[in-house]
Amino acid sequence: MNISISSCKSLLITAYILFLLPTELQAAEGGIRLAQTRIIFNANNNNANAVIKNNGQQVYLIKADVMNTPQGNDPALTAAPFLVTPPMFRLEKDSQSTALIVRNGSSQLPLNKESVFWLSFLAIPSVSKHGDAPGNMTSAQVSVGIRNVIKLFYRPAGLSPSFERSQGMLTFRRDGNRVTVNNPTPYYLTLATLSFNDRPVALQDVNPMIAPFSNSVFPAENTPSKAQWSVITDYGDMGQTQSATIKIGK
């Protein structure tokens, strides 16, 4: 099997149709999946690791890179201050590979709060030229590329309080049929669950990630007085359930 090979006798035209999978998704089509749903890059470390697994019988070419997100980052950043090495590699069937994420100018990032980026792995399946007619000058094949994207959080040193304690520090204020959730911490807090008066909020319909020192608005029914929530931990699982009183007014 070869990856997009062209020769003087035949031109192989390969079109890649990309599917952007949800950031918290662990498994991908075709046997490709990431071992984690998020990466925490601590400032005290020089690098971080990401593991990609191929549980199928297809060989893939993997292209890895870090991209800016529209949330919470300096718009002056033209490129994400991280590199992935190797940036491109072959992933054999029934195998796994580890990509190394290294800093590249992260001194530009805020020191008082987290920054968030996308870590992208584009998996391009290998293609075969078997079956080409003799003397055929041009053959066209279509490969479906699968893109896995997870969040990469850059965490400066010395943030206070701890991330674990911050999970319970959200505050809530109701104004009509809306509840404003305030995040007074230096961390991106992603809600795993949220309910008002024991009535769950459909987080799949809203953005569940609340940026540091900011707030998000969620719909509410009736006049809720109590909020319950849990936050996705550094390991991608669900933290302890927290509760608080919903205050009234702007």
Side-chain angles (χ1 to χ4, degrees), residues 42-54:
N42 288 295
N44 292 328
N45 300 331
N46 293 322
N47 55 64
N49 295 329
V51 177
I52 184 169
K53 298 181 178 182
N54 180 7

Side-chain angles (χ1 to χ4, degrees), residues 8 18 25 27 29 33 38 52 72 76 100 102 108 117 131 140 143 150 158 162 170 182 197 201 207:
C8 59
L18 309 181
L25 198 62
E29 299 291 342
R33 71 181 184 90
R38 55 185 48 215
I52 184 169
L100 193 67
V102 296
Q108 308 170 52
F117 301 88
S143 292
I150 61 175
S162 67
L170 294 177
N182 180 61
N197 282 9
V201 175
N207 182 4

Side-chain angles (χ1 to χ4, degrees), residues 17-229:
I17 306 173
L18 309 181
F19 291 92
L20 185 66
L21 299 186
T23 54
E24 303 299 339
L25 198 62
Q26 291 190 19
E29 299 291 342
I32 293 290
R33 71 181 184 90
L34 297 175
Q36 57 263 80
T37 62
R38 55 185 48 215
I39 301 288
I40 308 298
F41 197 122
N42 288 295
N44 292 328
N45 300 331
N46 293 322
N47 55 64
N49 295 329
V51 177
I52 184 169
K53 298 181 178 182
N54 180 7
N55 295 326
Q57 299 301 303
Q58 174 74 59
V59 177
Y60 289 89
L61 178 67
I62 306 296
K63 182 181 181 299
D65 58 305
V66 178
M67 304 178 296
N68 284 327
T69 72
Q71 280 190 293
N73 291 331
D74 186 347
L77 285 175
T78 57
F82 297 93
L83 298 175
V84 183
T85 181
M88 188 172 292
F89 54 92
R90 180 183 174 103
L91 188 60
E92 301 293 339
K93 60 184 180 180
D94 284 326
S95 68
Q96 70 177 41
S97 184
T98 300
L100 193 67
I101 306 158
V102 296
R103 290 183 287 182
N104 179 32
S106 58
S107 60
Q108 308 170 52
L109 300 177
L111 298 178
N112 65 334
K113 63 179 181 178
E114 285 186 332
S115 299
V116 63
F117 301 88
W118 282 322
L119 175 61
S120 165
F121 288 92
L122 173 61
I124 305 169
S126 58
V127 294
S128 173
K129 291 172 59 180
H130 295 163
D132 281 355
N136 182 16
M137 295 299 295
T138 302
S139 63
Q141 299 187 16
V142 175
S143 292
V144 178
I146 302 165
R147 188 186 296 275
N148 281 251
V149 179
I150 61 175
K151 293 169 185 171
L152 168 65
F153 296 95
Y154 178 76
R155 182 171 295 172
L159 294 184
S160 181
S162 67
F163 176 78
E164 289 72 20
R165 184 182 171 199
S166 293
Q167 296 179 43
M169 295 181 65
L170 294 177
T171 62
F172 300 78
R173 187 171 294 274
R174 178 173 58 83
D175 181 20
N177 61 349
R178 304 190 310 169
V179 173
T180 298
V181 183
N182 180 61
N183 175 13
T185 81
Y187 305 95
Y188 280 90
L189 298 182
T190 302
L191 296 171
T193 62
L194 175 65
S195 64
F196 300 138
N197 282 9
D198 299 321
R199 187 184 295 270
V201 175
L203 293 177
Q204 68 271 16
D205 299 331
V206 295
N207 182 4
M209 186 173 71
I210 309 173
F213 310 125
S214 69
N215 55 67
S216 295
V217 178
F218 296 89
E221 297 182 8
N222 302 321
T223 55
S225 59
K226 181 183 70 173
Q228 288 184 309
W229 74 97

